Amino acid sequence: MNNKTSFLPREGEAQPSRCPDNSAFKQQRLPAWKPRLTIASVLSSFFLTGAFCLTVGVCLVLSANSVREIQIDYSDKCSDCSKLRENSSNWNKECHCSVNFTLKEDILGDVFMYYGLQNFYQNHRRYMTSRSDAQLLGRNVNIQRSYCAPFSAYRNGTPMAPCGAIANSMFNDTIDLFYSRNASVIQVPLLRTGNSWWTDKNVKFRNPESYNLSSAFAGTARPPYWQKPVYLLDEEDERNNGFLNDDFIIWMRVSAFATFRNLYRRVRRVRHFAEGLPAGNYTFRIAYNFPVTKFKGRKHVILSTVVWSGGSNPFLGIAYLVSGTAATLTGFVITGIHLKLRKKKTYFQK
């Protein structure tokens, strides 16, 4: 017998069925929730969503507008220092400048000081990966195998601590605030610590274990653009040094945009500043160290309060307003289409 014909069914035999088994799963009879979209449910969904988004958006915008903020661009006001910093050979020369401004009204509550940079791109891939997380955890690692190059070690083999392009480009301007009161000048007390995220301070950053920081970082050198070694970043507070320095931790969290601001200080609410910053004449005294001319950048210093929704950025509120408006308009469009089709249906039934 031919092998090809042996697989054919014989006469009188029933052919095998190709239908799925008669089960609840294969016949799609499992219990399920099948929503029935009526015109009432659809319209109510759109209008309720629109009302919710519009309400939240209005609250967020009003909250953002209630933030008191003053922003001062000191790039041009410190032009002499800016020209000095254009030449990298002047890195060890100090340069100071002063910027005067006036507060016409009191800024009550907690006041935060930020530094802002414009046209400084931190979202480049090679820049973002130029760090050693193992080193920042205080571990003894081989820096040469990390992504820190070319800011990993000097020509003589001395490793950098911290290594990488992010750490090397750390913002290092020093900004002090002074208040003029009754012909006397009072320095506004500023808090250096407590400004970074708890997870960064307690999880992502650690100092090497040793009886003191200078010995912990023995055998390493500061990055090329730094003026101080990492264990002397804060000479007033020994606990705010090394990889646990708040300014360093905040800088290491890179920004996604070319224009950004980072928290620098908080006003300590004592004596004349127990309620915030009183109205009057103020002066920023700046030790200018961070050059911005080569990449056509700008530098700002910002004094701002915060509210329950955050700072003065109205983007989230505007996004809610746009979403709520779109949902409401869509509801009206669907209502108009429904009324038009219902009239046609009634006409044809007659």
Side-chain angles (χ1 to χ4, degrees):
M1 181 183 293
N2 192 350
N3 292 333
K4 294 184 179 180
T5 60
S6 62
F7 296 98
L8 297 177
R10 299 178 181 179
E11 294 183 2
E13 292 183 357
Q15 296 184 1
S17 176
R18 302 181 64 182
C19 297
D21 296 337
N22 189 18
S23 63
F25 177 75
K26 293 187 176 181
Q27 295 296 336
Q28 299 182 9
R29 294 196 303 268
L30 291 174
W33 179 65
K34 300 178 181 179
R36 186 178 179 183
L37 299 178
T38 62
I39 188 63
S41 62
V42 172
L43 290 179
S44 60
S45 300
F46 275 102
F47 285 120
L48 288 176
T49 302
F52 172 77
C53 291
L54 289 174
T55 303
V56 175
V58 170
C59 294
L60 290 175
V61 170
L62 293 177
S63 176
N65 291 336
S66 65
V67 174
R68 293 290 311 280
E69 179 178 299
I70 178 172
Q71 178 172 312
I72 296 175
D73 187 331
Y74 65 94
S75 303
D76 297 331
K77 296 180 180 180
C78 299
S79 57
D80 294 338
C81 293
S82 178
K83 293 179 181 179
L84 179 69
R85 292 291 174 243
E86 289 181 8
N87 189 349
S88 59
S89 62
N90 297 326
W91 65 271
N92 58 345
K93 296 181 180 179
E94 295 184 358
C95 188
H96 298 81
C97 60
S98 299
V99 179
N100 301 320
F101 66 98
T102 302
L103 288 181
K104 297 181 180 179
E105 298 179 357
D106 297 343
I107 300 182
L108 303 178
D110 294 328
V111 182
F112 299 82
M113 179 187 295
Y114 301 84
Y115 63 85
L117 290 177
Q118 183 177 346
N119 206 38
F120 188 90
Y121 290 87
Q122 291 186 310
N123 56 2
H124 194 282
R125 182 179 178 275
R126 290 192 62 186
Y127 180 87
M128 295 177 63
T129 58
S130 183
R131 59 186 292 167
S132 173
D133 292 322
Q135 184 196 49
L136 298 177
L137 284 172
R139 300 173 184 171
N140 187 12
V141 295
N142 186 0
I143 302 301
Q144 299 292 348
R145 297 182 180 180
S146 66
Y147 294 99
C148 291
F151 301 103
S152 56
Y154 288 92
R155 293 182 178 179
N156 60 2
T158 304
M160 300 181 188
C163 70
I166 306 176
N168 184 59
S169 61
M170 177 181 168
F171 183 85
N172 57 352
D173 283 2
T174 302
I175 306 173
D176 294 318
L177 181 60
F178 293 86
Y179 171 53
S180 300
R181 181 176 182 269
N182 298 329
S184 62
V185 179
I186 303 173
Q187 184 172 4
V188 179
L190 302 175
L191 296 173
R192 295 171 173 263
T193 59
N195 301 323
S196 59
W197 291 13
W198 185 92
T199 52
D200 289 345
K201 190 84 171 181
N202 296 275
V203 178
K204 296 183 178 181
F205 293 83
R206 286 283 187 276
N207 282 326
E209 294 183 0
S210 183
Y211 62 92
N212 59 36
L213 281 182
S214 60
S215 62
F217 290 98
T220 64
R222 58 175 176 79
Y225 290 171
W226 283 30
Q227 298 176 335
K228 301 178 181 178
V230 66
Y231 54 87
L232 291 179
L233 290 178
D234 190 348
E235 299 179 359
E236 299 179 3
D237 188 353
E238 295 181 357
R239 297 171 299 177
N240 190 34
N241 271 311
F243 296 150
L244 294 179
N245 178 265
D246 274 43
D247 293 337
F248 172 71
I249 291 175
I250 292 173
W251 177 259
M252 293 300 291
R253 184 177 291 276
V254 297
S255 173
F257 301 99
T259 299
F260 61 93
R261 63 176 64 178
N262 285 336
L263 181 60
Y264 182 68
R265 298 287 184 267
R266 291 177 294 132
V267 175
R268 186 179 180 185
R269 298 176 63 176
V270 294
R271 299 192 301 274
H272 306 290
F273 313 100
E275 302 297 327
L277 290 180
N281 297 321
Y282 289 84
T283 301
F284 283 123
R285 294 183 182 176
I286 303 168
Y288 198 105
N289 298 310
F290 193 85
V292 295
T293 307
K294 290 185 178 181
F295 57 88
K296 299 180 181 179
R298 311 288 298 181
K299 292 194 291 186
H300 307 83
V301 58
I302 303 105
L303 294 174
S304 175
T305 59
V306 295
V307 291
W308 62 271
S309 60
S312 62
N313 191 351
F315 173 79
L316 186 60
I318 295 175
Y320 268 100
L321 289 176
V322 172
S323 301
T325 303
T328 304
L329 291 177
T330 303
F332 281 117
V333 171
I334 295 176
T335 302
I337 295 174
H338 171 68
L339 294 177
K340 185 177 180 180
L341 294 178
R342 189 174 65 174
K343 288 181 181 180
K344 288 185 177 181
K345 185 176 180 181
T346 304
Y347 174 77
F348 285 116
Q349 286 180 352
K350 291 181 179 180

